[in-house]
Amino acid sequence: MKIETKQEILEVLRMPFEEYRHTVMAEAARIHREENGNILTATAMLGYDNICKNQCLYCGMRAGNSAVKRYRLDQEEVIRWIGVAQAKGFGRLFLVSGEDPKYGFDHLLAIVHAAKHAGMHVSLACGEFSLEQYRELKNAGADEYVMKFEMSDREDFDRLNPSTSFEKRIKNIGYIKQCGLKLASGNIVGYPGHNDSKAADDILLMKELEISWAPVIPYMPALNTPLAKEGGPGSIETNLKEISILRIMMHSLDITAQQPGRNLAQGLASTEGNLEALKAGANMLFADMLPDAMAKNFSVVDNRSGMGMAHLEEMAKLSGMELKLRAN
Ligand code: SF4
C-alpha cells in the first residue's frame, strides 16, 4: 500500500472507519509487526516542572490557568528520579517541562549529562531555546528534542500560540536539526478550525521534516482554557487514521500510543485508547516516574493520571506486543 500524496492521505482520512480498519489499519500493524519486531517501546517520563510562561490557547498548563498547582523540581531531585528510572530498568528517558525561564539552563545541562552518564537515551521537551543552547544540550548528551509544530497552518498557529509565532517555531525546528539532535514533532488533531485538508498538510510536514517520533494527539478541550469554548474534542477516528498513515509513510518512526479513548474522563491512560492506537501502528508508551499527585498536575490535558509499569505491561499483554525498556 502506498500513501505519499495529499490526495492519497485525504482518501484515507475520508474513508469509512470500518473500511479503514480492515485495510489501512491492518497494513500499518503488519508493517510494525514484520519490520519493527512488534516492539512496544517503554519510556520513563519525568515532568519535572509544570511552570510555563506561555499562553497557548489549548493547554491546561498555560500561564493564565491559576487552577493548576505549580511545582518545579530542582536538579538534585530530578537526578534522583533518573536514578529511580534507571533502577527500574528504563533505557529511555523523556524530560519534559513547561517553558519556565527561571529553570537554570546550567541545571538542565547537568541533568542531561547525568542521564547520559547513566546510559540513557535522552529526549527533551522544554520549550524554545537558542541555537547555541540546543548545541549545548546535544553536547551534554541529549539525543532527541520534541518541538511540536502543532498545526502547519500558519494563521491557526499564530492565533492559538500567541507567545510565539509559526516563523519562530519553524526556525527552532531548524536549529534542532542543525545541531544533530533527532527531531520529534507533530500536530494536534481536530482542534477547532482544523479539517482533513489541514491534517493532510500536517502529515506531509512531518514527513518533510524527517521526524524520529510523532507525538500526535487528538484535541481535548482542557478546563479553564480559551479554546475549550470553541468546540472539540477532536476525532479519535481521525487520530487513529493519522497514526496508521504515519506508520505506512515512515516505517520505523516512533509514534505515541498514549491516546485517549472515547471516554475522555480516563484521560491518556485509557486502556481502550492506548490499545486502539497500538493496533493502528503506534508503538510508544510512557511510565510516569513522579508520584501520581504530581503527575496529575502536569496537566496539559485534563484527567491526567500517572501511568505506571502495570499499565504498560497490561497494554503489552492485550496487544500481543513485546515490551522493551532498553534503548537498543
Ligand atoms: S503547550 Fe507547552 S508552551 Fe504552551 S502553554 Fe502548554 S506547557 Fe506552555
Side-chain angles (χ1 to χ4, degrees), residues 52-56 58-59 61-63 97-99 150 161 300:
C52 188
K53 70 171 177 54
N54 291 346
Q55 298 283 9
C56 306
Y58 46 84
C59 177
M61 240 160 69
R62 66 198 302 270
S97 72
E99 217 167 297
E150 314 284 13
N161 302 273
V300 282

Side-chain angles (χ1 to χ4, degrees), residues 140-293:
D143 296 282
E144 185 175 52
Y145 202 91
V146 183
M147 181 57 66
K148 289 184 71 179
F149 60 77
E150 314 284 13
M151 47 228 42
S152 62
D153 185 283
R154 178 183 294 259
E155 262 180 47
D156 287 354
F157 185 97
D158 288 345
R159 182 174 87 84
L160 302 179
N161 302 273
S163 312
T164 181
S165 67
F166 186 74
E167 200 186 337
K168 194 169 173 217
R169 182 57 51 98
I170 293 297
K171 197 186 259 183
N172 263 256
I173 283 174
Y175 289 162
I176 290 162
K177 291 185 76 82
Q178 204 178 320
C179 295
L181 287 159
K182 291 190 282 179
L183 171 71
S185 192
N187 65 344
I188 301 173
V189 176
Y191 61 85
H194 200 222
N195 55 36
D196 290 344
S197 176
K198 290 177 185 178
D201 289 338
D202 293 345
I203 292 168
L204 286 171
L205 181 56
M206 283 183 250
K207 170 83 177 163
E208 185 189 325
L209 292 171
E210 298 179 326
I211 56 169
S212 53
W213 160 23
V216 296
I217 192 170
Y219 171 64
M220 299 164 76
L223 267 180
N224 303 318
T225 58
L227 198 62
K229 297 182 187 79
E230 293 187 29
S235 159
I236 304 279
E237 281 81 8
T238 304
N239 191 56
L240 290 170
K241 286 177 175 178
E242 178 171 308
I243 287 171
S244 299
I245 293 168
L246 288 168
R247 174 63 64 217
I248 292 168
M249 288 178 81
M250 291 172 270
H251 291 196
S252 60
L253 182 68
D254 284 325
I255 307 175
T256 301
Q258 195 174 313
Q259 302 289 351
R262 280 149 192 92
N263 178 3
L264 293 184
Q266 294 173 344
L268 300 177
S270 157
T271 298
E272 177 219 345
N274 291 188
L275 191 57
E276 284 273 280
L278 290 168
K279 285 184 183 163
N283 69 306
M284 186 130 90
L285 281 173
F286 302 89
D288 277 293
M289 290 298 103
L290 300 182
D292 207 35

Side-chain angles (χ1 to χ4, degrees), residues 105 108 126-131 133-134 137 145 147 172 175:
F105 191 69
L108 184 57
C126 312
E128 294 177 344
F129 288 122
S130 67
L131 173 62
Q133 286 175 306
Y134 290 123
L137 286 168
Y145 202 91
M147 181 57 66
N172 263 256
Y175 289 162

Side-chain angles (χ1 to χ4, degrees), residues 94-146:
F94 179 34
L95 289 164
V96 54
S97 72
E99 217 167 297
D100 178 1
K102 295 210 172 122
Y103 206 94
F105 191 69
D106 285 350
H107 295 254
L108 184 57
L109 289 176
I111 290 166
V112 170
H113 184 78
K116 184 47 71 180
H117 190 67
M120 300 185 109
H121 175 279
V122 185
S123 305
L124 296 118
C126 312
E128 294 177 344
F129 288 122
S130 67
L131 173 62
E132 189 47 43
Q133 286 175 306
Y134 290 123
R135 207 166 263 145
E136 287 182 62
L137 286 168
K138 166 83 179 148
N139 291 340
D143 296 282
E144 185 175 52
Y145 202 91
V146 183

Side-chain angles (χ1 to χ4, degrees), residues 49-92:
D49 179 353
N50 74 349
I51 297 169
C52 188
K53 70 171 177 54
N54 291 346
Q55 298 283 9
C56 306
L57 267 61
Y58 46 84
C59 177
M61 240 160 69
R62 66 198 302 270
N65 189 359
S66 52
V68 177
K69 200 168 164 225
R70 306 283 173 171
Y71 65 85
R72 179 193 287 131
L73 300 188
D74 66 22
Q75 177 186 325
E76 283 72 30
E77 209 166 346
V78 179
I79 290 174
R80 190 170 65 74
W81 283 111
I82 290 172
V84 172
Q86 192 191 16
K88 287 186 175 181
F90 285 95
R92 293 181 65 109

